[in-house]
Amino acid sequence: MAQFKSSTCEIPSARNVPAHIAIIMDGNGRWAKKRLLPRVAGHQRGVKSVRSTIRHCNSLGVDYLTLFAFSSENWRRPKDEVSFLMTLFYSSLAREIEQMHKDNLRFRVIGDISPFDSKLVSLIRDAEELTRDNGGLNLTVAANYGGRWDIMQAVKRMLKERPELAESFSENDLSPYLSMSYAPEPDLFIRTGGEQRISNFLLWQLAYTELYFTDTLWPDFDSTALDLAIRSYQARERRFGRTSEQLPAKNA
Ligand code: FPP
């Protein structure tokens, strides 16, 4: 039996405080443009929101926080911006990892990081190793990640290990090979910056996730903005395909 319930095969439990929040941090460039600053100043400021969101999730009892930092399509951006984002990821992780470890946070990266600079790859692997036994908030950064890539790599790895499944396989056969097999499916997806799309984020895992879109630009996203998103989530009825009448009187 899988560690966590699949939203399509079973009925997952739904807590009042989301167990897993996944975020597309959008709007950094526009935040900077509004202030006549270069786009990268928005990314730099975005790190502050990353820090405050981690802290707030920790204090609320959220178990998993997943942040989309760099998509497989972000390579299409100007070279300078891509290189700035890589440097920012490196410097932020190098600066924060000791504190994250002290806070009992477990850090992971999902995505194909093989094209990244080897220094960044080592830092990521060291940070994952350092925090691997921590039992607090599970922070996942999606870097060079794409939802389609994830499904493809899972199918490839599954068939390599279990070629007999080429004829036929089930969701439960495939799910252990997906990048986030260690986490429940997100309860709440947040996208800042006003766009209303999923942009190739966790395509498989978002099947029954509650979606929340806000015009707030990522550098302005603070604990109050996160509380608003959670309040919106708490007002939703999570039916997972059932009718209202079939739901238990109150979610645990
Ligand atoms: C989207 O805004 C944001 C990104 C592509 C990068 C997100 C990165 C950070 C918040 C900082 C680094 C993260 C970590 C985990 C240390 P955009 O540039 O598309 O904004 P726009 O839509 O206004 O142009």
Side-chain angles (χ1 to χ4, degrees), residues 18-177:
H20 184 175
I21 299 180
I23 307 183
I24 295 188
M25 311 177 285
D26 198 10
N28 294 344
R30 278 164 287 158
W31 182 92
K33 199 172 170 193
K34 270 178 33 182
R35 289 162 179 79
L36 306 176
L37 294 169
R39 290 178 52 78
V40 293
H43 297 316
Q44 197 140 32
R45 187 57 182 245
V47 176
K48 198 174 154 211
S49 300
V50 169
R51 211 178 295 124
S52 86
T53 301
I54 294 171
R55 203 173 309 126
H56 201 44
C57 282
N58 228 341
S59 69
L60 292 172
V62 172
D63 296 326
Y64 296 84
L65 172 66
T66 304
L67 303 173
F68 206 5
F70 193 83
S71 78
S72 39
E73 291 74 48
N74 283 151
W75 295 108
R76 300 169 183 163
R77 293 189 172 214
K79 245 186 156 153
D80 284 357
E81 184 172 338
V82 170
S83 140
F84 184 90
L85 281 168
M86 296 294 161
T87 308
L88 187 61
F89 190 12
Y90 186 93
S91 59
S92 307
L93 184 56
R95 196 180 51 236
E96 305 288 339
I97 190 60
E98 283 303 329
Q99 188 58 47
M100 294 201 286
H101 184 43
K102 276 191 201 134
D103 293 340
N104 199 25
L105 181 148
R106 178 155 186 194
F107 174 83
R108 292 181 183 91
V109 168
I110 54 166
D112 176 14
I113 60 168
S114 62
F116 289 2
D117 184 88
S118 60
K119 266 178 70 187
L120 178 54
V121 174
S122 308
L123 182 68
I124 289 170
R125 294 302 173 223
D126 289 350
E128 289 179 329
E129 191 55 36
L130 177 71
T131 61
R132 63 175 300 147
D133 296 324
N134 292 348
L137 178 72
N138 286 276
L139 171 68
T140 301
V141 172
N144 195 23
Y145 177 87
R148 291 187 180 182
W149 166 84
D150 194 4
I151 296 167
M152 299 277 287
Q153 68 78 30
V155 172
K156 279 189 218 154
R157 287 202 300 132
M158 180 191 72
L159 291 181
K160 196 162 178 212
E161 268 182 38
R162 302 182 62 193
E164 74 280 7
L165 294 179
E167 279 291 302
S168 161
F169 61 88
S170 68
E171 202 187 282
N172 284 333
D173 291 326
L174 184 66
S175 56
Y177 295 92

